[in-house]
């Protein structure tokens, strides 16, 4: 798309992606997609405190790749799984599956059968709402 003056016009999606691409001075660490798997929808990640990990696993109909370190469990989800969705605290949403401020990449603790690394984001969101006692955003009253 070009502006009348001949300059390029950037869409909101492009600006969001550019902002997400900015990183601090430290080298970002990205959760890898295991060998033999493909991520046709791109990858983001949702981190939850480690104490919630074992509570979430049995609540999910399908569990994709899960990584863990001492502090967090990281769930791979398709890119843009935060679109119009407010992940409940204390979850952290990591665009590009970049692990912020990590001294090392967390280890893979669960690999699903098949070739897709994703945990479906809506069941993950609902399970996380349940274990944190948070009302899903679409169920909250609208205040005028």
């Amino acid at each position: 798309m070009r502006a009348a003056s001949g300059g390029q016009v950037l869409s909101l999606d492009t600006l969001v992606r550019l902002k997400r691409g900015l990183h601090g001075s430290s080298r970002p660490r990205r959760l890898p997609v295991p060998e033999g798997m493909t991520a046709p929808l791109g990858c983001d990640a949702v981190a939850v405190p480690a104490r919630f990990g074992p509570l979430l696993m049995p609540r999910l109909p399908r569990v994709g790749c899960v990584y863990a370190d001492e502090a967090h469990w990281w769930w791979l989800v398709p890119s843009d799984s935060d679109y119009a969705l407010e992940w409940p605290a204390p979850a952290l949403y990591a665009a590009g599956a970049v692990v912020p401020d990590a001294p090392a990449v967390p280890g893979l603790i669960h690999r699903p059968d098949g070739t897709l690394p994703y945990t479906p984001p809506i069941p993950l969101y609902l399970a996380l709402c349940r274990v944190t006692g948070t009302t899903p955003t679409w169920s909250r009253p609208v205040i005028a």
Side-chain angles (χ1 to χ4, degrees):
M1 193 163 142
R2 298 244 176 235
S5 64
Q8 186 176 4
V9 175
L10 301 176
S11 71
L12 182 56
D13 290 338
T14 301
L15 293 172
V16 168
R17 284 277 172 218
L18 288 172
K19 181 178 182 275
R20 286 181 174 176
L22 298 176
H23 298 290
S25 59
S26 65
R27 193 175 120 242
R29 300 195 187 276
R30 204 175 290 280
L31 296 173
V33 173
E35 188 173 325
M37 300 191 99
T38 60
L41 303 175
C43 273
D44 288 348
V46 176
V48 299
R51 71 182 182 276
F52 291 127
L55 301 173
L56 292 171
M57 292 286 270
R59 295 177 183 267
L60 297 169
R62 180 184 191 285
V63 178
C65 290
V66 181
Y67 299 80
D69 57 25
E70 289 182 14
H72 295 95
W73 283 29
W74 298 83
W75 308 77
L76 287 186
V77 294
S79 291
D80 300 323
S81 292
D82 62 336
Y83 180 77
L85 195 60
E86 186 180 319
W87 287 85
L92 302 170
Y93 190 86
V98 173
V99 181
D101 304 323
V105 174
L108 181 66
I109 63 167
H110 183 269
R111 177 187 170 136
D113 294 331
T115 61
L116 295 175
Y118 307 121
T119 295
I122 298 300
L124 178 59
Y125 172 81
L126 291 172
L128 188 56
C129 284
R130 174 70 103 178
V131 300
T132 61
T134 304
T135 302
T137 53
W138 55 76
S139 296
R140 295 179 190 156
V142 177
I143 299 172

